[in-house]
Amino acid sequence: MKVLVIEDEPNVAAFIKRGLQEQTFEVEVAYDGSMGKRLALQNEYSVIVMDIILPNLSGLDLCRQLRQEQLRTPILLLTALGTTEDIVDGLEAGADDYLPKPFKFKELLARVRALSRRTGMVTASNMLRAGDLSMNLDTKEVKRAGKDINLTAREFALLEFFLKKQGKVLSRVDLLENVWDLNFDLSSNVVDVYVNYLRNKIDKDFSAKLLHTVVGMGYMLKEPENA
């Protein structure tokens, strides 16, 4: 199982990482809220462990933003703020559990294992992401930076294929064979037309572009380098 630890105190982060790795967990660490958000949306984790007090983006705000992005991964908040009000704030922000600091590793491990077993809570393959763009394959919802993107059935299928193959150059033939009928006229410009439709919906109103033309080769969807 893979765990994301978002903790700005290097000693605490190293302590948690070492302990979880000894229990055969795979662990990635982020040292501020912004980096944590990027990793959380970019990868799949069984559990996210995060401190409330973080640089750039607080744990509470990060929780809220991840839930707004429909990320369902269980979140365990670490907090030195132990009042009932602080705990309620964390749970209302979208956290699943909390653990006051200082804590014993055995208690942290028990919480992580319990959260990882929650049925239906682990991030599933029904969510596809690239940067701040998300696609829910169950509800057919597409969002970018929290904004709803309305797509036709064909545009949705095209974007789904791009997301599943992100970072790879896809030729027009690749797209025709996988998004359209195999017997579709290969001389048609339908791919270019629909890529343009899609680009207008997912990129036009955003400064960071996701869908790129690779001259003479085709198209590629990739995350912005500064994402």
Side-chain angles (χ1 to χ4, degrees):
M1 288 182 289
K2 194 171 183 180
V3 177
L4 174 61
V5 176
I6 310 174
E7 169 60 68
D8 66 318
E9 296 182 37
N11 291 338
V12 176
F15 166 71
I16 296 173
K17 181 177 181 179
R18 182 173 60 252
L20 289 175
Q21 286 178 331
E22 289 175 355
Q23 298 296 320
T24 72
F25 286 91
E26 183 180 349
V27 182
E28 288 188 332
V29 176
Y31 295 99
D32 63 62
S34 297
M35 180 182 178
K37 180 180 179 180
R38 185 172 72 249
L39 289 175
L41 294 178
Q42 189 173 341
N43 304 302
E44 289 192 6
Y45 300 96
S46 297
V47 179
I48 297 173
V49 179
M50 71 168 76
D51 196 1
I52 282 185
I53 302 174
L54 294 168
N56 299 328
L57 186 64
S58 76
L60 294 182
D61 288 337
L62 178 53
C63 271
R64 293 188 187 97
Q65 292 183 21
L66 292 179
R67 294 315 187 209
Q68 287 171 0
E69 290 288 334
Q70 300 182 34
L71 189 76
R72 298 182 298 169
T73 307
I75 295 174
L76 172 62
L77 279 180
L78 305 179
T79 174
L81 310 173
T83 68
T84 300
E85 184 178 348
D86 295 320
I87 292 166
V88 170
D89 287 344
L91 296 176
E92 288 185 345
D96 297 275
D97 200 356
Y98 67 92
L99 185 60
K101 289 183 175 181
F103 54 84
K104 293 182 179 180
F105 178 75
K106 285 185 178 180
E107 188 173 4
L108 173 73
L109 179 61
R111 302 290 183 93
V112 169
R113 283 177 169 163
L115 288 174
S116 69
R117 290 193 295 266
R118 288 197 177 183
T119 304
M121 287 298 294
V122 178
T123 302
S125 57
N126 66 340
M127 293 297 296
L128 300 175
R129 302 179 186 279
D132 57 358
L133 176 74
S134 65
M135 170 182 279
N136 188 316
L137 298 177
D138 288 341
T139 64
K140 307 302 181 186
E141 292 177 313
V142 176
K143 295 178 181 288
R144 181 153 189 203
K147 177 183 177 182
D148 289 327
I149 306 293
N150 296 315
L151 301 178
T152 65
R154 187 69 68 184
E155 291 165 351
F156 187 94
L158 181 59
L159 179 58
E160 179 182 352
F161 189 66
F162 271 123
L163 285 167
K164 289 180 176 178
K165 300 291 184 180
Q166 62 182 283
K168 297 181 180 180
V169 177
L170 302 174
S171 69
R172 289 168 178 80
V173 173
D174 291 330
L175 296 170
L176 281 170
E177 290 182 345
N178 287 278
V179 181
W180 280 267
D181 191 291
L182 286 171
N183 298 317
F184 204 94
D185 181 4
L186 297 181
S187 65
S188 169
N189 70 339
V190 67
V191 168
D192 307 277
V193 170
Y194 270 85
V195 167
N196 188 53
Y197 289 160
L198 194 56
R199 183 176 278 144
N200 283 336
K201 292 185 177 182
I202 69 170
D203 274 345
K204 183 179 179 181
D205 296 330
F206 303 91
S207 58
K209 307 306 179 186
L210 298 172
L211 193 50
H212 304 271
T213 300
V214 182
V215 179
M217 300 180 71
Y219 300 98
M220 176 171 60
L221 186 142
K222 65 176 183 179
E223 294 189 357
E225 293 183 0
N226 61 346

